[in-house]
């Protein structure tokens, strides 16, 4: 039981660390585009891991949690871009810059999130 709690804590801290690192690099958008895409894959992997450890060993549940969190994140970015006052607030408070979204970029982000989750499931099934 303690090992599960410790593993959850480590995965949660990795998620927070990855988010903070993305915020730090957000001002350099185009230069680190590759990293932001890699982050989507890693975040899908980490959220799948956290879901698996916390809620369920059911792969469908893991996939659904990753899809839900991915869609919510993309929706959040859309809303933050759509409302200029919110975008300015985020820039001032967190120094986080959100680039304009395109359909292709959003679709790629969702695919990468899902790919990270599938990679976790494959690894977990091999090493379980």
């Amino acid at each position: 039981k303690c090992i599960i709690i410790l593993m959850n804590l480590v995965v949660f801290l990795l998620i927070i660390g990855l988010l903070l690192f993305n915020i730090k690099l957000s001002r350099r958008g185009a230069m680190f585009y590759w990293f932001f895409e890699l982050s989507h894959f890693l975040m899908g992997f980490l959220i799948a891991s956290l879901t698996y450890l916390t809620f369920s060993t059911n792969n469908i549940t893991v996939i659904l949690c990753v899809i839900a969190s991915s869609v919510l994140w993309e929706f959040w970015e859309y809303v933050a871009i759509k409302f200029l006052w919110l975008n300015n607030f985020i820039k001032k408070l967190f120094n986080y810059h959100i680039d304009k979204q395109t359909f292709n970029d959003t679709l790629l982000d969702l695919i990468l999130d899902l790919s990270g989750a599938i990679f976790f499931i494959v690894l977990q099934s091999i090493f379980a």
Side-chain angles (χ1 to χ4, degrees):
K1 184 92 174 160
C2 284
I3 192 77
I4 299 292
I5 293 170
L6 182 61
M7 288 170 59
N8 277 342
L9 180 62
V10 168
V11 172
F12 181 75
L13 291 175
L14 286 171
I15 289 170
I16 298 301
L18 187 57
L19 284 171
L20 291 174
F21 199 57
N22 272 288
I23 290 170
K24 185 77 173 160
L25 295 179
S26 69
R27 292 189 131 239
R28 298 184 176 99
M31 185 188 315
F32 289 104
Y33 181 78
W34 63 270
F35 179 76
F36 300 130
E37 298 307 334
L38 174 64
S39 291
H40 276 279
F41 179 84
L42 293 173
M43 199 60 79
F45 183 90
L46 291 171
I47 291 171
S49 173
L50 190 63
T51 303
Y52 180 84
L53 290 168
T54 306
F55 300 115
S56 173
T57 57
N58 181 337
N59 291 338
I60 299 298
T61 303
V62 171
I63 293 291
L64 289 175
C65 282
V66 171
I67 289 172
S69 60
S70 301
V71 168
L72 285 172
W73 182 264
E74 293 303 320
F75 181 72
W76 158 250
E77 284 185 339
Y78 173 78
V79 168
I81 290 168
K82 201 72 171 163
F83 297 101
L84 187 59
W85 65 269
L86 181 58
N87 199 335
N88 289 334
F89 176 76
I90 293 167
K91 282 180 186 174
K92 278 185 184 175
L93 188 62
F94 300 107
N95 200 22
Y96 182 54
H97 299 266
I98 303 171
D99 290 334
K100 295 222 181 288
Q101 287 183 303
T102 65
F103 176 77
N104 290 340
D105 181 59
T106 299
L107 186 59
L108 178 60
D109 291 348
L110 294 171
I111 289 169
L112 287 168
D113 290 333
L114 185 58
S115 298
I118 291 169
F119 185 64
F120 170 81
I121 289 169
V122 169
L123 285 180
Q124 184 277 327
S125 67
I126 292 171
F127 293 108

